[in-house]
Amino acid sequence: MTFDFEQAYEAEKARRIAAEKALDEKAREVESSMNMIRFQYLSLTSQKRGLELLLNIAQMGALRLQYEHALKIFIDAIGQLFEAEYGMVYLLTEEGGGEPARLLGSSICYLPRDQYPDAILELLSGQRSFDESSPVGQKVLEGTHVIEINRIRHRPDSDSSLPDWLVFFPVRKNGEIVAVAELGVKGWRDDNESYLTLSMAASSQIGVMLERAEAHQQLEQNYHALKDAHEQLKSTQSQLIHSEKMASIGQLAAGVAHEINNPVGFVLSNIDTLQDYMRVLLDVFTGYERLMTIADAASEQALSIRDEIDRYKRKNDFAFILDDFEQIIKDSTDGLVRVKDIVLSLKNFARADEGEVAENSVDEIIEESLKMIWNEVKYHVEVVRDFAAPVPIPCNRAQISQVVMNLVINAAQAIKERGEIRLLTRQDSVFTLIQVSDNGSGIPPAILSRIFDPFFTTKPVDVGTGLGLSISHGIVHKHGGRIEVESVLGNGTTFRIYLPMQRPAVEVIAVHS
């Protein structure tokens, strides 16, 4: 069998052509894949640069950068994105003299001025401004961001350094344009469209950042204004408490004077009596001294002096003087102690305290308060005590005393003729209860909800200021407690004060007397 070289050659040729064809197809596939990878890389790079721009703007808002600093970062970032020939920022500027503000060219630019070619420097020379009423300004206001430069000025074809396009990004705050970024772009690339969208979003974000910065500044101003108002309110409240305390002292002055005058009066009377008794005692003592000088006690002279002493003792009721002497001393001591207690109570109430919270017995505070206002209630009111609060609680003694006096005086004034005021205290693990009840005229339901309002009163002008219950409510609240009231018209009123057993979290108002 002979070998057919021609047939073998043709077969080998066909295989080589098929292999070359397959290789060409693979090469085209690889080139297509490389182009796709290159496109995706450029696309991702473009997106990365755009996202970096938005991230920078977001970070500027978080860092609360200065306005012009933020615009400098913005113009640099978009200048790099568009590979701009130049970039500058117009700022809204007050010109003075009553002229309206204008958008004037600023020193904020992309790349230093010394890096621009002469043609660009000439283009940027002079006092440039962005006129919103110009054709360019109108287009920007309508939303056109990219404008061909030949449409707004003549560009010599021979000068290749000048840009072909002007790109504008207005920055708005509260709807008003406050800045405009202008870029000069030489050629328009395909990825500029995506950069345009991202840059528009970034300029809008700067406007939002400015609005937030302004809102934050306004919020800080409002905060400081509210803080100042709160301090003023605290000062005014302290002054009101002080004024009400002074008014209470003025109201109590006559009663306290009467309460002091009574014991002082009978102490003075007792002193006069004691002077008389002392005169009798001295006379008797003198007689006995004369008697002791006589040697013979049975002599006529001694008997005469003894008779004289006996007559003098009977005449002045010497036995009664001896019995009464001790009682007078005891009564005088009790009267002076009573005066001392009243003065001490009044001093504790009116002293210049600093609003300090200390451990105090509520029962003792109530007793101390009653001593100061006793003249207000003793003639027509029976005070019934039911005290069971032995554990001291953290409170301001003077302020709680003021609350108790306000409630007891109000209760006494609600009783027209004869009546009863019941004072009750109780304690548990959480609160100490102070209850003040009367069987007076009661409070009409229509005004019950208003009794704690400042300056609200049903009393005559010369009787009440309308601050007592309001200030009492404030004092109890500042102690971390609460005050409740129940009243039945014609049957009386009950006030309940709940004070915490533990130190309150809020600060007790300082009273500067």
Side-chain angles (χ1 to χ4, degrees), residues 82 146 164-165 167 185-193 196:
F82 288 93
V146 182
D164 299 314
W165 306 91
V167 187
V185 179
K186 180 63 178 174
W188 195 260
R189 306 187 311 274
D190 291 339
D191 51 4
N192 281 358
E193 292 296 335
L196 184 65

Side-chain angles (χ1 to χ4, degrees), residues 359-366 389-393 395 397:
E359 298 292 328
N360 292 287
S361 167
V362 168
D363 294 348
E364 291 179 3
I365 292 175
I366 297 175
V391 180
I393 66 170
C395 66
R397 190 180 191 93

Side-chain angles (χ1 to χ4, degrees), residues 149-433:
I149 196 168
N150 286 338
R151 295 185 179 182
I152 57 175
R153 64 167 61 92
H154 176 68
R155 179 177 63 86
D157 294 335
S158 60
D159 194 343
S160 60
S161 63
L162 289 176
D164 299 314
W165 306 91
L166 294 181
V167 187
F168 297 94
F169 297 103
V171 177
R172 289 180 170 85
K173 184 181 72 174
N174 299 323
E176 179 185 4
I177 295 179
V178 294
V180 176
E182 176 186 312
L183 295 180
V185 179
K186 180 63 178 174
W188 195 260
R189 306 187 311 274
D190 291 339
D191 51 4
N192 281 358
E193 292 296 335
S194 62
Y195 292 155
L196 184 65
T197 302
L198 290 171
S199 300
M200 290 164 54
S203 65
S204 298
Q205 188 63 32
I206 289 179
V208 172
M209 183 186 72
L210 292 176
E211 291 175 3
R212 288 180 176 174
E214 186 179 73
H216 178 76
Q217 183 179 10
Q218 185 63 44
L219 185 63
E220 282 190 338
Q221 292 176 354
N222 292 342
Y223 166 76
H224 289 300
L226 285 174
K227 186 178 179 181
D228 292 343
H230 177 66
E231 293 298 326
Q232 183 65 31
L233 181 61
K234 286 176 64 178
S235 175
T236 303
Q237 193 171 20
S238 297
Q239 292 174 11
L240 280 176
I241 292 177
H242 173 67
S243 298
E244 176 64 16
K245 177 185 283 189
M246 293 301 101
S248 299
I249 291 176
Q251 182 181 358
L252 299 175
V256 170
H258 181 75
E259 287 299 302
I260 293 176
N261 188 59
N262 280 344
V264 168
F266 73 70
V267 167
L268 289 174
S269 176
N270 286 347
I271 290 176
D272 290 339
T273 302
L274 287 175
Q275 288 178 337
D276 294 338
Y277 288 175
M278 287 298 297
R279 192 163 44 248
V280 173
L281 288 173
L282 289 174
D283 290 343
V284 172
F285 180 75
T286 301
Y288 280 118
E289 279 190 328
R290 288 170 55 201
L291 184 62
M292 291 175 64
T293 60
I294 300 174
D296 185 4
S299 67
E300 183 177 348
Q301 183 181 6
L303 293 174
S304 175
I305 292 175
R306 187 178 291 110
D307 289 341
E308 182 182 346
I309 292 174
D310 290 340
R311 287 195 302 271
Y312 185 80
K313 289 169 65 176
R314 286 193 300 272
K315 177 183 177 182
N316 291 279
D317 200 354
F318 191 75
F320 174 78
I321 289 177
L322 293 179
D323 291 338
D324 196 38
F325 205 96
E326 183 178 355
Q327 187 62 42
I328 288 178
I329 296 295
K330 181 179 180 303
D331 291 343
S332 298
T333 301
D334 292 342
L336 292 176
V337 169
R338 183 176 171 188
V339 171
K340 176 186 174 183
D341 290 343
I342 293 173
V343 172
L344 180 61
S345 299
L346 190 61
K347 180 181 178 182
N348 289 338
F349 176 69
R351 73 182 185 274
D353 63 86
E354 298 178 353
E356 294 181 352
V357 175
E359 298 292 328
N360 292 287
S361 167
V362 168
D363 294 348
E364 291 179 3
I365 292 175
I366 297 175
E367 285 289 2
E368 194 174 78
S369 303
L370 287 175
K371 291 176 182 177
M372 287 187 288
I373 60 175
W374 189 243
N375 192 65
E376 296 283 332
V377 300
K378 67 179 181 179
Y379 294 110
H380 69 296
V381 172
E382 179 185 359
V383 177
V384 179
R385 297 166 174 82
D386 184 4
F387 294 160
V391 180
I393 66 170
C395 66
N396 181 295
R397 190 180 191 93
Q399 292 183 13
I400 298 303
S401 176
Q402 184 175 359
V403 173
V404 172
M405 286 193 296
N406 283 340
L407 295 182
V408 174
I409 289 176
N410 284 349
Q413 292 173 345
I415 298 173
K416 301 305 179 184
E417 295 180 359
R418 298 289 302 175
E420 179 182 274
I421 296 176
R422 299 185 65 86
L423 299 174
L424 175 145
T425 62
R426 294 290 187 270
Q427 284 180 324
D428 59 23
S429 60
V430 181
F431 287 105
T432 292
L433 167 66

